[in-house]
Amino acid sequence: MKKFNIRKVLDGLTASSSGTASPQPGTNQNDVIQETLQSEHFQLCKTVRHGFPYQPSSMAFDPVQKILAIGTQSGAVRLFGRAGVECYCQHDSGAAVIQLQFLVNEGALVSALADDSVHLWNLRQKQPAILHTLKFNRERITFCHLPFQSKWLYIGTEKGNIHIVNVESFTLSGYVIMWNKAIELSSKSHPGPVVHISDNPMDEGKILIGFECGTVVLWDLKCKKADYRYNHDEAIHSVAWHHEGKQFTCSHSDGTLTTWNVRVPAKPTITITPHGKQPKDGKKPEPCKPILKVEYKTTRAGDAFVVMSGGLSYDTGCRRSCLTVMHGKSTAVLEMDYPIVDFLTLCETPYPNDFQEPYAVVVLLEKDLVVIDLEQIGYPIFENPYPLSIHESPVTCVEYFADCPPELIPALYSVGSRQKRQGYSKKEWPISGGNWGQGTLSYPEIIVTGHADGSIKFWDASAIMLQVLYKLKTAKVFEKALKGGKEEKPSTEIVDEDPFAIQTLSWCPESRMLCVAGVSAHVIIYRFSKQEMTTEVVQLLEVRMQGELNDVDSPDPAGDHPPTPSTPVPPSSSSPTQDGEPPEAQPFTSDDRPRDNVPGLKVWSAPLKQSPGYQVELVIQLVWVSGEPPQQITSLAVSSSDGLVVFGNSSGLAVVDYLQKSLLLNMSTSELYSPSDPYQRQPQSPRKTRQPSGGEGSMRSHLNVQLRVLNELMSTEVFLLPGSTTPTNSDDEHKQKRFIEMGTHPLSYYPSLLLSLYLSSLHYHPDAKDSLFSRSRSSSVTSIERESREAISSFHFSESFPRKTDSSPSPSLWLGTTQGTVLVLSLSLPPTGDQRLQQPVGVSSCGTLVRLKGGILTMAFLDSLGAVLPPSYEPWSEPNAPDEEKTRRRRPASPPPTQEGQDRQYAVVCSEKQAKVVGLPSQSCFFKHNITESSFVLRADVVQMAAGLCLACFCANGHIMTLSLPSLRPLLDVNYLPLTDMRIARTFCFSNLGQAMYLTSPTEIQRITYSQETCDNLQEMMGELFTPLETPEAPNRGFFKGLFGGGAQSLDREDLFGETAAGKASRSLAQHIPGPQGMEGMKGAASGVVGDLARARIALDERGQKLGELEDRTAAMMASADSFSKHAHDMMLKYKDKKWYQL
């Protein structure tokens, strides 16, 4: 960590910089602004993970605690209770979780991994931890089974053997069931891996072992032999017991279900093919797809439920996965949107030897979690309370807003509640375990996600929870292309045809103004309204942007057209063909002239009904220029107080007045350096008569061309050279390195441009490898010359001092470029009211403020006391209210001028390499800090902490840093997360009060904090998974079963599997590893399940000892009573016949 040094501050004061002036001599800003933030205010830690578990592999449910656990292929375990109770755990090895088993109502979980390790998790603490690990060395784990209320875990292996583990000590028992003893001695082949283990519900001394080959063995634990062997020709996938223990059902690879009587091993009593066609001649039905799992659940009042996955006929037209529910004579086939990973039937009782009374089925899909209500007609699904729909369409951009206006969340919820689907089950969500946290840190937090289908979701992220508030579909503004006469269903995969995908967004929470930019070079401006309205004509503004002056089109051969400014045009003026149908997607028109002045999408032409929520105010579209599609928008900002929207790309920038629906400024970045007033100059790109060409098809064709170019680029191994930001291959490594060292490469200092262009092209690459941190040239740019253009990277509206000579702040627009330049535009706004809607807004260039290394990422402004100056805004008011109720905010009066020569504001500017603090209006650089030399900053924001302001940065090398303001003193530098995934670079966000987040997988959001206060209160804020509950009473055996011994038979497994009876297991078979927490883990164990089990056992021993002592005392008292009775009887006989006077 770099220490703060006054010499370096002085060096920064005297450093020469383009467009900056040296500070006034003798001025010491530290005497004016007192910084309150210190290093002890910062600590980095993860808080919570939201979303659907990425690539799920297994599932388990605790029927008493009502907690659901889901394991993934990356070694993660997600635990879910009631809404708002979630927990994330991670195995260090990262191996796939193949099976999970709860210690029911004990607050513990056993996980089996693909690397042949078994782990015991303690769930009695808010952050679960591993207590024990057992790593098998010589055998591969294939199946685990933990009987209810047992401490002995059965582990089946690939060799066909079964080992037994004591979950208290996590040691192996010497009792082993070898495969060659389980199968018939006459068998000449190996039975294959163990695919199923379960104990007989009515006799704990008998376990059922299923081998992959189709053999099932009923093993007697006491006698150590096989009682019965059941052989079938087809491979077995799963086995399910009837609760009376007299029969069981197997599912097979040919789509059949076989039901066996325990005492009749010769052949199954029933064989059915649920989805097979029954031939009329009595032959065997045609084979179907494998039934991967079956569960058989009984009820007291009616027929049993048979639930299974798979088993459909091969010639069935349905390609989706299905869950089949058979109840009596009815069979329901429930189609799922994604392949089924696993399912569990939820029952009223945890005891396997009682009527199960199933009430729901939890179905784990590859990309969703569905719970089906079995007790209502039609089997409706429960409404899922978890935020598992983040990936409903792939996330393309994310923004995080902490400490929002308190009335904003209720407003979004009120309009979002009307969007909820109907037809859900009326019952409460059955996974209802755990308790909410009791944290005191609670302030409104909102996460906004943009998606590939053009939708935008607003999430309530307060108090480390996540709940969807409102969903906006931006694609409704445009006409959708139809394929084969019908609209295509949206996909959860990013494909090459996502013309509505959200590129970036700008949202003002105070005014509720929303501005969205899409990949088809379109911008949509929304206002928030609580009232429904119908827009007769969607307001459309078409903008023609081209980068350099030499790109101006040649005159039209048919004749010159007079220059016409960009004005709103009705959607019907979009260029249809003569027959009204869009033409083929070609970059040239039918007469071989290049396409020109044609937008990429066609705006909805009919009246548009807009529901309460966000409603379209204006649509802006960039049009084609001389056969070239418009460049994608890289930066965007909206100012509600000014009524302006600004957006930029590699061609330049455009400023739009959305109140007057007019274009104020449209020019290239290089022209901004000119001192001339841009508002007075003629438009550089005169509008031409639109060619008859279709926009949407051509744009899609161009995106397909982009995809092919990107595929070619991705086919070559791409990597980064140290200190460079451009991709090279191994053949040109030497030349490229020399080229960069000479400093002639135009992109060597501008990684943000390549990064943004690569990420934009990544939206259209369905097989892009996000795990590779490789950059490629944008497929939308055809040459290095195009890439070397100076693009706009950031905007900031402010009431500031755009010129050195200004004595009072005025509206201004500050913009940063990919080459590190900060430019200023002065805004001249008419008075509010009717004049604002009639008089034009003036825009003039004020030149360059400062220049930094690397592209500009963020800008902010501080007042003379060091407090942040938020952008001015117009408070929200109902836009559809009557005119007399509408009020527009007047701009606050400027503060009185201070002493001559004293700076009244400070501009904080951060680039990919540096940060500077510049005084205004003097434009003197007071502080400068080189953030990184070997890497570059991906995301930077000026954030408000509880104790002051700081600049937060996330670097490509994984470091998260904070700098004090205004002195840029390093406060935090933690190597948190190496950038191995481009998704992280695209979605990392900082927010106020020490909050940050990023997309850690395509389906999950990871939230982190860098605030010491939040870390200290995190344990209180987190929910509790384990709640002390009484285990339900065991089923009543009944009088006759108790009299004749027909009830469940118990087994003392300690006598069978303990070291005394079974001996010790081989040390080379498995290695015991204590929990990774050391003494902390031991303390956790003492308060966890193992300690509780040990204490319970000690208490039982003490109780037994006390009962023994009581029995001894009772026996002594009985003997004393017998002696007293005998003496009393003898005394009676002695004096029975004597008179009283003879005594």
Side-chain angles (χ1 to χ4, degrees):
M1 184 182 296
K2 188 179 292 185
K3 295 183 178 180
F4 176 69
N5 193 328
I6 191 63
R7 289 185 178 179
K8 295 185 178 180
V9 175
L10 296 176
D11 292 341
L13 298 179
T14 58
S16 59
S17 177
S18 174
T20 61
S22 299
Q24 297 291 335
T27 303
N28 189 350
Q29 299 303 126
N30 285 332
D31 295 338
V32 179
I33 300 176
Q34 298 295 327
E35 296 182 358
T36 55
L37 277 179
Q38 303 297 329
S39 297
E40 53 266 21
H41 291 114
F42 295 92
Q43 182 182 346
L44 190 67
C45 66
K46 295 181 180 180
T47 53
V48 66
R49 181 172 294 199
H50 301 295
F52 182 77
Y54 184 54
Q55 295 180 335
S57 56
S58 57
M59 179 173 58
F61 182 72
D62 188 325
V64 179
Q65 290 289 322
K66 297 189 181 303
I67 295 291
L68 182 72
I70 297 177
T72 71
Q73 295 182 19
S74 59
V77 177
R78 294 280 300 278
L79 296 135
F80 297 91
R82 65 178 62 190
V85 178
E86 298 180 31
C87 188
Y88 165 76
C89 311
Q90 177 67 49
H91 294 89
D92 293 336
S93 66
V97 180
I98 59 175
Q99 200 169 353
L100 294 169
Q101 291 273 308
F102 273 103
L103 275 69
V104 177
N105 203 28
E106 297 289 349
L109 176 71
V110 174
S111 59
L113 272 59
D115 64 352
D116 309 312
S117 60
V118 185
H119 306 265
L120 178 65
W121 291 85
N122 176 22
L123 306 183
R124 297 200 174 202
Q125 54 196 58
K126 289 192 173 182
Q127 184 57 49
I130 293 177
L131 300 178
H132 296 282
T133 296
L134 198 63
K135 181 73 169 65
F136 281 76
N137 299 322
R138 297 184 300 182
E139 297 200 47
R140 304 296 307 272
I141 298 175
T142 57
F143 194 87
C144 297
H145 172 64
L146 181 65
F148 177 55
Q149 293 184 324
S150 170
K151 68 174 185 179
W152 297 96
L153 173 70
Y154 302 105
I155 297 180
T157 67
E158 193 174 41
K159 291 183 179 180
N161 303 324
I162 294 179
H163 302 277
I164 301 172
V165 176
N166 186 325
V167 294
E168 286 186 0
S169 60
F170 238 59
T171 55
L172 276 172
S173 168
Y175 192 111
V176 181
I177 303 174
M178 304 300 292
W179 67 270
N180 53 358
K181 294 184 179 179
I183 66 173
E184 296 181 3
L185 298 177
S186 59
S187 177
K188 298 180 180 180
S189 60
H190 190 278
V194 176
V195 296
H196 178 83
I197 307 172
S198 61
D199 49 348
N200 189 318
M202 302 301 291
D203 189 353
E204 295 177 352
K206 307 290 180 64
I207 66 170
L208 203 64
I209 307 170
F211 296 96
E212 189 181 55
C213 68
T215 299
V216 179
V217 176
L218 185 66
W219 182 265
D220 190 323
L221 292 171
K222 292 181 180 179
C223 301
K224 299 183 180 181
K225 67 180 184 66
D227 279 357
Y228 300 101
R229 297 180 179 92
Y230 316 87
N231 296 307
H232 196 264
D233 297 335
E234 297 294 334
I236 288 178
H237 287 279
S238 68
V239 182
W241 276 103
H242 187 280
H243 84 275
E244 291 183 346
K246 296 179 180 179
Q247 60 184 15
F248 59 89
T249 300
C250 301
S251 68
H252 300 276
S253 58
D254 62 345
T256 60
L257 294 176
T258 57
T259 302
W260 302 76
N261 189 311
V262 172
R263 300 183 180 274
V264 184
K267 64 176 183 178
T269 56
I270 301 174
T271 301
I272 61 172
T273 307
H275 297 292
K277 296 180 180 179
Q278 300 293 335
K280 297 180 179 180
D281 54 3
K283 293 182 179 180
K284 186 178 180 181
E286 295 180 0
C288 296
K289 297 177 183 178
I291 299 177
L292 301 178
K293 185 175 182 179
V294 63
E295 289 195 350
Y296 187 98
K297 303 298 180 182
T298 55
T299 60
R300 294 182 188 274
D303 298 318
F305 282 87
V306 178
V307 186
M308 65 181 188
S309 62
L312 293 179
S313 175
Y314 282 103
D315 58 357
T316 303
C318 176
R319 296 182 180 180
R320 296 185 179 183
S321 296
C322 294
L323 186 80
T324 303
V325 180
M326 295 188 294
H327 183 217
K329 295 182 180 180
S330 68
T331 299
V333 179
L334 309 176
E335 289 188 8
M336 302 294 162
D337 291 334
Y338 309 104
I340 297 175
V341 176
D342 195 5
F343 73 87
L344 294 171
T345 307
L346 307 188
C347 303
E348 296 289 351
T349 175
Y351 292 92
N353 57 356
D354 193 9
F355 287 98
Q356 302 298 291
E357 303 294 343
Y359 60 89
V361 179
V362 181
V363 188
L364 177 63
L365 308 176
E366 281 190 359
K367 294 184 178 180
D368 201 0
L369 181 70
V370 178
V371 182
I372 301 167
D373 189 350
L374 294 179
E375 295 182 333
Q376 293 190 28
I377 299 175
Y379 303 133
I381 64 172
F382 289 86
E383 184 177 6
N384 199 320
Y386 308 135
L388 302 183
S389 61
I390 294 172
H391 64 289
E392 185 177 15
S393 176
V395 177
T396 55
C397 73
V398 180
E399 292 296 337
Y400 189 7
F401 301 88
D403 202 15
C404 298
E407 69 278 1
L408 187 56
I409 290 179
L412 289 170
Y413 180 80
S414 65
V415 295
S417 60
R418 308 178 190 182
Q419 300 176 331
K420 290 187 176 181
R421 291 172 48 191
Q422 303 297 323
Y424 289 111
S425 172
K426 298 179 181 179
K427 295 187 177 181
E428 293 185 359
W429 182 250
I431 306 169
S432 56
N435 291 315
W436 291 319
Q438 304 297 325
T440 57
L441 291 177
S442 180
Y443 38 83
E445 298 175 72
I446 294 178
I447 293 175
V448 185
T449 57
H451 300 266
D453 63 352
S455 63
I456 297 174
K457 291 183 180 180
F458 295 80
W459 306 82
D460 178 8
S462 308
I464 70 171
M465 294 186 182
L466 194 69
Q467 180 183 9
V468 66
L469 294 171
Y470 172 70
K471 180 178 179 180
L472 171 66
K473 297 180 180 180
T474 65
K476 287 185 175 180
V477 181
F478 304 101
E479 296 184 1
K480 298 180 181 179
L482 301 180
K483 285 194 174 183
K486 59 174 64 175
E487 185 180 326
E488 287 191 271
K489 188 179 185 298
S491 170
T492 59
E493 299 292 342
I494 294 180
V495 296
D496 62 325
E497 295 184 356
D498 284 322
F500 311 113
I502 305 300
Q503 180 85 358
T504 184
L505 60 89
S506 176
W507 186 46
C508 177
E510 289 79 11
S511 66
R512 305 183 190 176
M513 288 297 299
L514 174 66
C515 193
V516 178
V519 296
S520 297
H522 62 273
V523 176
I524 310 176
I525 304 167
Y526 289 92
R527 286 186 184 272
F528 185 84
S529 174
K530 294 182 178 180
Q531 300 178 11
E532 184 179 293
M533 67 170 294
T534 299
T535 303
E536 295 297 330
V537 178
V538 176
Q539 294 293 319
L540 172 63
L541 181 67
E542 294 183 354
V543 178
R544 178 184 175 94
M545 293 182 69
Q546 57 189 39
E548 305 297 337
L549 291 175
N550 56 8
D551 289 339
V552 176
D553 300 335
S554 59
D556 195 309
D560 294 338
H561 296 276
T564 56
S566 298
T567 56
V569 295
S572 59
S573 65
S574 298
S575 312
T577 55
Q578 294 180 357
D579 58 358
E581 294 294 330
E584 294 296 325
Q586 298 293 336
F588 292 90
T589 57
S590 57
D591 55 357
D592 292 334
R593 287 182 298 176
R595 300 187 59 205
D596 201 44
N597 287 343
V598 177
L601 298 172
K602 186 177 181 181
V603 175
W604 187 261
S605 56
L608 181 65
K609 182 180 179 181
Q610 303 198 67
S611 303
Y614 275 101
Q615 300 173 351
V616 179
E617 174 83 3
L618 177 65
V619 178
I620 307 170
Q621 287 186 288
L622 302 186
V623 297
W624 287 59
V625 178
S626 303
E628 288 290 329
Q631 301 298 309
Q632 290 184 357
I633 294 168
T634 57
S635 52
L636 178 71
V638 61
S639 172
S640 60
S641 63
D642 301 333
L644 302 179
V645 165
V646 59
F647 55 91
N649 58 14
S650 60
S651 298
L653 83 158
V655 181
V656 173
D657 184 344
Y658 64 79
L659 297 178
Q660 299 184 20
K661 311 295 188 297
S662 62
L663 178 67
L664 300 179
L665 180 71
N666 175 16
M667 63 193 313
S668 66
T669 311
S670 60
E671 294 177 275
L672 292 173
Y673 291 94
S674 172
S676 61
D677 186 353
Y679 183 67
Q680 299 296 331
R681 61 191 302 277
Q682 294 296 325
Q684 64 158 15
S685 306
R687 297 276 304 255
K688 296 184 178 180
T689 303
R690 203 175 283 116
Q691 302 292 334
S693 173
E696 184 176 352
S698 300
M699 190 66 177
R700 181 171 292 124
S701 172
H702 186 74
L703 296 179
N704 290 332
V705 174
Q706 294 182 19
L707 178 64
R708 290 196 295 271
V709 175
L710 184 60
N711 281 330
E712 295 175 1
L713 292 171
M714 292 290 287
S715 63
T716 306
E717 181 182 2
V718 181
F719 59 92
L720 281 174
L721 292 175
S724 73
T725 59
T726 53
T728 63
N729 54 38
S730 55
D731 296 334
D732 298 330
E733 180 179 356
H734 179 71
K735 292 181 181 179
Q736 188 73 16
K737 187 179 295 185
R738 182 173 177 270
F739 192 49
I740 292 172
E741 288 173 354
M742 291 174 64
T744 58
H745 198 285
L747 293 176
S748 57
Y749 285 98
Y750 320 123
S752 63
L753 176 59
L754 279 180
L755 186 62
S756 62
L757 294 176
Y758 173 81
L759 292 175
S760 65
S761 62
L762 186 65
H763 296 332
Y764 300 99
H765 199 299
D767 301 319
K769 297 180 179 179
D770 288 334
S771 60
L772 296 177
F773 179 40
S774 59
R775 302 187 192 173
S776 116
R777 283 181 287 180
S778 168
S779 54
S780 62
V781 180
T782 57
S783 66
I784 275 292
E785 288 76 13
R786 289 283 177 85
E787 288 181 353
S788 63
R789 288 178 180 175
E790 186 173 14
I792 306 297
S793 57
S794 62
F795 292 111
H796 191 87
F797 285 98
S798 177
E799 295 269 344
S800 187
F801 301 87
R803 303 177 182 86
K804 287 185 179 182
T805 57
D806 290 340
S807 60
S808 61
S810 61
S812 57
L813 171 62
W814 303 68
L815 55 97
T817 72
T818 54
Q819 294 187 9
T821 303
V822 176
L823 300 164
V824 189
L825 296 178
S826 177
L827 306 175
S828 175
L829 296 171
T832 58
D834 294 338
Q835 297 183 49
R836 174 64 184 85
L837 301 177
Q838 296 173 359
Q839 299 181 13
V841 177
V843 183
S844 59
S845 175
C846 300
T848 303
L849 171 71
V850 68
R851 191 176 183 110
L852 286 75
K853 293 181 181 179
I856 304 299
L857 297 178
T858 189
M859 294 174 283
F861 291 85
L862 314 180
D863 62 15
S864 58
L865 299 179
V868 69
L869 290 171
S872 57
Y873 60 88
E874 175 192 354
W876 177 81
S877 61
E878 176 56 56
N880 297 326
D883 292 338
E884 58 270 13
E885 296 182 13
K886 293 184 180 179
T887 58
R888 182 169 179 84
R889 171 186 178 272
R890 291 184 175 271
R891 186 174 303 280
S894 302
T898 55
Q899 298 179 4
E900 185 70 23
Q902 183 176 350
D903 286 326
R904 297 168 53 192
Q905 287 186 5
Y906 302 95
V908 180
V909 184
C910 183
S911 73
E912 295 164 333
K913 294 285 187 179
Q914 293 178 322
K916 287 185 179 181
V917 176
V918 180
L920 297 176
S922 70
Q923 299 186 5
S924 302
C925 179
F926 285 102
F927 299 100
K928 171 185 173 183
H929 180 74
N930 292 324
I931 299 174
T932 178
E933 296 293 341
S934 59
S935 183
F936 57 92
V937 180
L938 287 169
R939 181 72 185 241
D941 287 291
V942 173
V943 295
Q944 179 72 55
M945 303 289 290
L949 277 178
C950 72
L951 175 64
C953 305
F954 173 58
C955 295
N957 58 9
H959 283 251
I960 292 179
M961 295 178 283
T962 59
L963 306 174
S964 68
L965 289 177
S967 66
L968 300 178
R969 183 167 40 90
L971 299 173
L972 175 72
D973 188 352
V974 177
N975 187 5
Y976 168 70
L977 182 69
L979 185 60
T980 57
D981 193 337
M982 293 301 292
R983 183 179 297 104
I984 299 173
R986 188 177 70 235
T987 59
F988 197 98
C989 298
F990 289 107
S991 191
N992 290 331
L993 301 173
Q995 305 298 324
M997 59 151 289
Y998 58 91
L999 232 68
T1000 186
S1001 73
T1003 63
E1004 294 171 293
I1005 286 177
Q1006 178 66 58
R1007 293 169 64 181
I1008 62 175
T1009 182
Y1010 47 96
S1011 166
Q1012 178 68 53
E1013 182 182 8
T1014 305
C1015 290
D1016 293 341
N1017 291 274
L1018 186 59
Q1019 287 296 319
E1020 295 181 6
M1021 297 168 66
M1022 294 177 64
E1024 295 182 356
L1025 291 169
F1026 179 78
T1027 306
L1029 295 173
E1030 290 288 337
T1031 302
E1033 293 185 3
N1036 190 0
R1037 297 173 64 185
F1039 175 76
F1040 290 104
K1041 287 186 177 181
L1043 183 63
F1044 298 106
Q1049 303 295 320
S1050 61
L1051 173 70
D1052 190 351
R1053 295 184 177 91
E1054 184 69 31
D1055 292 343
L1056 283 177
F1057 307 143
E1059 186 175 331
T1060 304
K1064 293 184 178 180
S1066 173
R1067 292 185 177 181
S1068 62
L1069 180 61
Q1071 176 187 2
H1072 176 259
I1073 305 171
Q1077 293 183 329
M1079 290 302 296
E1080 294 298 326
M1082 296 301 293
K1083 292 178 182 178
S1087 62
V1089 56
V1090 176
D1092 289 344
L1093 288 174
R1095 284 195 294 272
R1097 186 169 183 179
I1098 293 172
L1100 286 175
D1101 292 341
E1102 292 176 353
R1103 183 169 178 244
Q1105 184 178 357
K1106 291 179 180 179
L1107 287 174
E1109 294 174 356
L1110 180 61
E1111 185 178 358
D1112 293 339
R1113 288 198 297 270
T1114 304
M1117 291 177 65
M1118 290 181 65
S1120 176
D1122 289 341
S1123 177
F1124 178 80
S1125 174
K1126 183 179 180 181
H1127 287 297
H1129 184 71
D1130 293 340
M1131 186 73 70
M1132 181 197 69
L1133 294 177
K1134 181 178 180 180
Y1135 297 104
K1136 181 174 68 170
D1137 298 326
K1138 291 185 179 182
K1139 303 296 183 181
W1140 61 273
Y1141 53 85
Q1142 292 177 333
L1143 296 178

